[in-house]
Amino acid sequence: MKSCARIVIVVFVIACMGIPAMAQKRSNLVIAKDKLVLLIDLHSSKTELDNLLRKAGLKGVDASAILKGDFTALKKDGWTMAEKQGDIIEFDRPLEDLNKNPQTKPYLITTKTDNDNEGSPGYPADVDFGINNFAKVTVHELPSGLTRFFLPGNLQNRRALLSGNFNNWSTLKGIMAKTDSGWIADVKLKPGKYEYKFIVDGHWINDRYNNQVADHDDNSIYFRYNYTFKLNGYANARKIILAGSFNNWNANNIIMEKSGGVWQKQLYLHDGTQAYRFLVDGKWITDPANPNKIQGDNGFTNSVLNLGETVVFKLDGYTDAKKVYVAGGFNNWERGLIPLSKTATGWALSLIIPPGNYGYKFVVDGNWMTDPKNPQNMKEGGVVNSYISVKPNYTFKLNGFSNAKSVRLAGSFNNFDEFGYTMAFNGTEWTVSVKLKPGKQLYKFIVDGKWMIDPGNKLYEPNQYNSGNSVLWIE
């Protein structure tokens, strides 16, 4: 910022852009993706706004003028009005602007961290499966692929908004349209678990027709489905139950429904390898339509589903080898279970793997080896393995350092392992892609053994070594 080239801004961020605790506090300075976001409530006191402007690095700005609607000082400092909802005004500015006007120190985010809080509001923890439970269905999947949320009644109210972890618990977005029977809002969702609430004339309420409520703060829960189990035949069966590894083989909570001569059940199912069976009138059977089966520890034969991304493993050469396998974190390093097929130039295999970060190796005639075509490595249990990220959601980049012999990434996501993830050099920058959990992540680069914060990221926080860690928020 022009007016704060040598000032460290302290921004206390509970989470990205408005988790429930933040969402109900109007004036605020938060971080959302690649922007700094300044929320101003024109009903704020001058003292409150002065404090906020100081946090935003705006020195000598007249809070009284802003409260009267004069935003000249904000615009001169590079802020853009993004949205106005009544007396709530949202300004933002790209974080990359800071690279044009570097600070002597990065932005200090917070002195506190809680990396274990995976199930915090707005960032629900992963679940193996999920089935909706409505007294009256208020969330519908539309043919367009959008999900429609419906708030019945409340026609006497002036405004209703839909807020949830899918829009960072925004109090400005998610405006619902009024109909003759209630309010509706359409959202594009990926399969998974979502938490949400309605904001009716400023009051937060949950969906009273939704029987599934989060324990932590009464948010309503919705699952967008991605799989349908089907069992043909058994027209005379009285009751058919689905059970599997995803619900700890509970033979009571997933009851199949009969429709047009087919028993079926829709649900959200997490990526990964899932074993399952059907219980038909008290008798267990495998899925006759699924040829993939495996012997369970209890002696039962189970049907198996593999959900995830298709990854192609290739090993060139070694055409004289008798057997080649691949093993890694995705199969608990069990050797001899996943064979590659021989090709004209070597060996290859297409394998479905759930999203995540994995080490792996090839096993050639009993000898373990890293992937010679993969420059990226990681260390597990003191052993160096090839590294792969399946369906990564962030790519770390470090510009320059062309003379470096090795650049690695370490962070809260890999316990700051000093070996880290090896980064690859493409001629101008070092990169590595990683699958990260939502929330705050701390990290550093290790350049030829020297630890350093990210020079391209102005967000950092202190650590016990007084050297700081770079901060990244994943939504």
Side-chain angles (χ1 to χ4, degrees):
M1 297 180 187
K2 298 177 183 176
S3 60
C4 61
R6 290 177 294 276
I7 295 176
V8 178
I9 296 178
V10 181
V11 182
F12 292 97
V13 178
I14 295 178
C16 289
M17 190 57 188
I19 61 176
M22 285 290 239
Q24 298 175 65
K25 183 179 181 182
R26 298 300 183 94
S27 294
N28 218 332
L29 180 67
V30 295
I31 298 169
K33 293 185 178 178
D34 57 350
K35 296 179 181 180
L36 280 175
V37 177
L38 180 64
L39 297 176
I40 296 178
D41 185 349
L42 296 181
H43 288 302
S44 300
S45 68
K46 182 178 182 300
T47 301
E48 181 183 1
L49 187 54
D50 277 334
N51 290 333
L52 181 65
L53 294 176
R54 280 197 296 271
K55 287 183 179 180
L58 290 155
K59 298 183 66 177
V61 175
D62 187 359
S64 298
I66 292 177
L67 292 173
K68 293 177 181 178
D70 183 357
F71 309 123
T72 304
L74 289 172
K75 293 176 181 178
K76 284 184 178 180
D77 195 58
W79 295 86
T80 301
M81 184 186 293
E83 190 170 356
K84 186 177 187 297
Q85 294 289 338
D87 292 321
I88 307 297
I89 305 173
E90 177 182 326
F91 292 88
D92 63 37
R93 62 179 302 162
L95 287 173
E96 69 177 55
D97 283 355
L98 303 177
N99 293 329
K100 302 172 186 176
N101 186 18
Q103 313 296 303
T104 55
K105 292 183 180 180
Y107 280 89
L108 176 64
I109 297 300
T110 179
T111 57
K112 297 180 180 179
T113 179
D114 184 4
N115 295 318
D116 298 323
N117 195 15
E118 298 175 10
S120 58
Y123 299 110
D126 285 338
V127 293
D128 291 330
F129 82 106
I131 299 174
N132 294 310
N133 182 3
F134 289 94
K136 174 182 178 181
V137 179
T138 53
V139 185
H140 303 268
E141 295 300 327
L142 304 179
S144 63
L146 297 176
T147 303
R148 172 163 294 176
F149 289 80
F150 176 51
L151 172 62
N154 294 277
L155 299 178
Q156 75 281 5
N157 296 102
R158 292 180 294 107
R159 189 172 74 156
L161 293 92
L162 171 68
S163 185
N165 61 319
F166 41 76
N167 66 2
N168 295 321
W169 295 99
S170 173
T171 59
L172 297 174
K173 302 175 182 178
I175 298 174
M176 303 186 77
K178 196 173 188 178
T179 70
D180 59 355
S181 57
W183 303 77
I184 61 172
D186 296 339
V187 183
K188 187 173 183 180
L189 300 178
K190 297 178 180 179
K193 175 186 176 183
Y194 296 92
E195 297 185 12
Y196 67 97
K197 273 185 176 177
F198 303 113
I199 310 174
V200 182
D201 286 349
H203 299 287
W204 291 74
I205 64 172
N206 62 11
D207 187 342
R208 64 191 179 97
Y209 293 105
N210 189 338
N211 294 325
Q212 295 203 90
V213 178
D215 294 332
H216 47 78
D217 59 2
D218 205 34
N219 295 330
S220 299
I221 296 174
Y222 176 71
F223 295 98
R224 191 180 195 283
Y225 295 155
N226 63 341
Y227 196 81
T228 303
F229 285 91
K230 294 183 178 180
L231 179 62
N232 290 303
Y234 298 92
N236 298 323
R238 296 187 302 276
K239 187 177 184 180
I240 298 182
I241 297 173
L242 167 69
S245 54
F246 45 86
N247 75 334
N248 294 317
W249 298 100
N250 187 326
N252 295 304
N253 67 346
I254 307 180
I255 301 174
M256 305 281 285
E257 300 162 359
K258 192 175 181 181
S259 176
V262 179
W263 294 85
Q264 57 186 0
K265 190 65 177 180
Q266 276 190 303
L267 72 164
Y268 164 69
L269 196 59
H270 195 280
D271 286 344
T273 299
Q274 308 286 4
Y276 69 99
R277 297 191 303 270
F278 298 115
L279 183 62
V280 182
D281 289 340
K283 181 181 179 181
W284 289 103
I285 66 167
T286 55
D287 186 349
N290 184 356
N292 297 320
K293 295 177 173 57
I294 191 172
Q295 191 76 19
D297 294 336
N298 55 7
F300 283 103
T301 298
N302 303 316
S303 297
V304 176
L305 286 175
N306 289 303
L307 303 177
E309 295 291 304
T310 299
V311 178
V312 178
F313 291 94
K314 293 182 66 176
L315 178 63
D316 292 336
Y318 299 91
T319 52
D320 294 332
K322 295 180 180 179
K323 292 182 180 180
V324 176
Y325 297 90
V326 66
F330 43 81
N331 78 329
N332 295 317
W333 291 98
E334 292 287 342
R335 62 186 295 173
L337 293 182
I338 308 177
L340 277 69
S341 299
K342 199 168 187 178
T343 68
T345 58
W347 302 79
L349 168 71
S350 294
L351 185 66
I352 297 175
I353 300 176
N357 307 309
Y358 303 100
Y360 72 96
K361 276 184 174 176
F362 295 117
V363 187
V364 181
D365 287 342
N367 297 314
W368 294 81
M369 61 177 289
T370 55
D371 187 343
K373 290 294 183 70
N374 185 353
Q376 296 183 325
N377 299 318
M378 64 183 294
K379 186 177 283 188
E380 297 173 279
V383 178
V384 176
N385 301 311
S386 295
Y387 165 80
I388 188 172
S389 183
V390 181
K391 207 171 182 178
N393 56 356
Y394 192 81
T395 298
F396 290 89
K397 298 178 181 180
L398 177 64
N399 289 309
F401 298 92
S402 57
N403 295 323
K405 296 180 180 178
S406 119
V407 177
R408 305 180 186 278
L409 168 71
S412 52
F413 39 82
N414 64 357
N415 296 317
F416 279 97
D417 185 287
E418 63 180 355
F419 186 89
Y421 298 150
T422 305
M423 301 180 72
F425 189 62
N426 61 12
T428 59
E429 62 183 5
W430 298 82
T431 65
V432 64
S433 296
V434 183
K435 175 67 174 177
L436 299 174
K437 293 181 178 180
K440 185 171 74 173
Q441 302 289 350
L442 308 177
Y443 69 98
K444 269 188 166 179
F445 297 122
I446 310 171
V447 180
D448 289 338
K450 182 180 179 180
W451 292 73
M452 61 179 289
I453 60 175
D454 185 351
N457 182 358
K458 299 301 179 182
L459 311 177
Y460 92 111
E461 70 177 36
N463 60 15
Q464 65 268 39
Y465 305 108
N466 295 317
S467 58
N469 296 318
S470 293
V471 177
L472 173 69
W473 283 94
I474 297 296
E475 298 182 1

